[in-house]
Structure formats: structure tokens, C-alpha cells
Amino acid sequence: MGEKVLSYHDILLRQEDLELLRGPQWLNDQVIAFYFEYLLREKHQDGPAFVSGATSFFMANGGAADVKQTVASMRLAERPLVFFAVNNNPFVDVAEGGSHWSLLTFWRGRFFHCDSAAGLNRSVAQQLAAQVGPHLASGSASKVVDAKTVQQVNGYDCGVHVMANARALAGALCTTPP
């Protein structure tokens, strides 16, 4: 483990996390989790929920009771908007796996998927939606709609796209009346 560089609420960044920002590198869960925490604390305190990749992964692969408890403890059903960082790690026993990030958004009873690699994470997003959908709002569908989004031009900017899409959508949708 590298040197601790920043502790921000529930997020700890180490030197190796910051090195990823020099590029061209694939961003890890800690960097995305930090940015989600920043958006929550500094920009949208009373609005959306931002769910880290680790928590999204747990909910996509966990048992129904664990998912229900996690959704309840995070009070996600009370939020007008929920953002999930989605990773395509196929191995539940490997914490730092996968090769692509995308953003799953729950808004007004529907799921929208922003994937900068033409739907590479669609099945993972559908799995997550199927797990959390029944617990977010009564009668909410777990169908995932592919949102039109800018496509990455390399193999490592997916995390940047997740963060940029979350920021833009939170800014736009949190000011939109119901």
C-alpha cells in the first residue's frame, strides 16, 4: 500500500491512486468513489445519491436480502436520482478486476445506461438494475434504456466518462422540476 495522500469523508486516496490521474491510465474505484463523494458533499447535498463501483458491484452480485438492506441503509429509494458506477468485473472474488466503467442512472422510476464503449457493460447494468430496481420505488421497472452518450476514442477513458456524465446529469436533472 502506498502513502496516504488524501482522506475525504469516507474515501481514502493513496499515492498510486493519484498517479492514475497523470494518464493515460484506467481509473480505479477509489478515484471514481472520491469524485462521487465530492459531487455529493460539495455540489448536490440534498439531491442525488452517488453509488461507488464497489457498492454497485456488491449489489449486482449480492443476495436479495443484502441488496435490500444496502438500498435501505443508503436511503436510495428516497432520492430523486441515483447514480451507480458500473464495472464489468466478472469475478466476485477479485476486488480490482474488470476492464470497463459505465454509468447507470435511476431517475423517475427508470434506469438509463451511459456507456462510452457502445454498450460493452449493458449486461452488467441490466444485472444491477434487476437487483436494485424492486427496492428503489414501488413498481419501478428494472428495464435499462441505453442513453446516447459520447463514445471514448481509446481504451482507458471510461472512468473519466463516468465522472463527466454523472456531473453533467446531476447538474441538469437536479434543476429539472418533476
Side-chain angles (χ1 to χ4, degrees):
M1 286 273 159
E3 176 187 351
K4 296 176 185 176
V5 177
L6 175 66
S7 178
Y8 183 75
H9 297 278
D10 294 334
I11 306 299
L12 176 66
L13 290 179
R14 298 184 179 276
Q15 186 61 41
E16 59 264 23
D17 299 320
L18 294 184
E19 293 296 324
L20 298 174
L21 298 174
R22 294 178 189 238
Q25 299 287 328
W26 188 73
L27 299 182
N28 66 10
D29 182 54
Q30 282 302 105
V31 172
I32 295 170
F34 166 79
Y35 191 69
F36 275 17
E37 190 74 13
Y38 166 79
L39 288 175
L40 173 67
R41 304 281 182 168
E42 306 296 330
K43 302 293 183 186
H44 303 285
Q45 298 91 346
D46 296 325
F50 296 88
V51 182
S52 72
T55 303
S56 294
F57 180 79
F58 172 77
M59 290 193 291
N61 296 286
D66 291 331
V67 173
K68 182 178 180 179
Q69 181 179 0
T70 302
V71 168
S73 70
M74 295 180 75
R75 300 171 57 187
L76 298 181
E78 299 170 23
R79 301 296 188 125
L81 180 62
V82 182
F83 295 103
F84 299 91
V86 179
N87 182 280
N88 66 350
N89 180 5
F91 306 109
V92 294
D93 57 342
V94 178
E96 296 277 330
S99 62
H100 183 60
W101 289 106
S102 62
L103 182 70
L104 183 65
T105 303
F106 184 77
W107 184 59
R108 294 186 177 173
R110 297 177 64 192
F111 286 98
F112 300 90
H113 186 225
C114 296
D115 193 336
S116 62
L120 182 64
N121 272 5
R122 188 170 202 337
S123 64
V124 182
Q126 289 173 322
Q127 178 180 345
L128 177 58
Q131 288 278 85
V132 300
H135 308 291
L136 288 179
S138 63
S140 69
S142 54
K143 179 183 180 228
V144 176
V145 175
D146 290 320
K148 187 174 182 178
T149 187
V150 174
Q151 299 296 289
Q152 65 189 78
V153 295
N154 55 44
Y156 50 83
D157 275 348
C158 52
V160 173
H161 281 261
V162 166
M163 296 186 306
N165 285 326
R167 184 187 76 200
L169 288 169
L173 299 178
C174 287
T175 59
T176 302

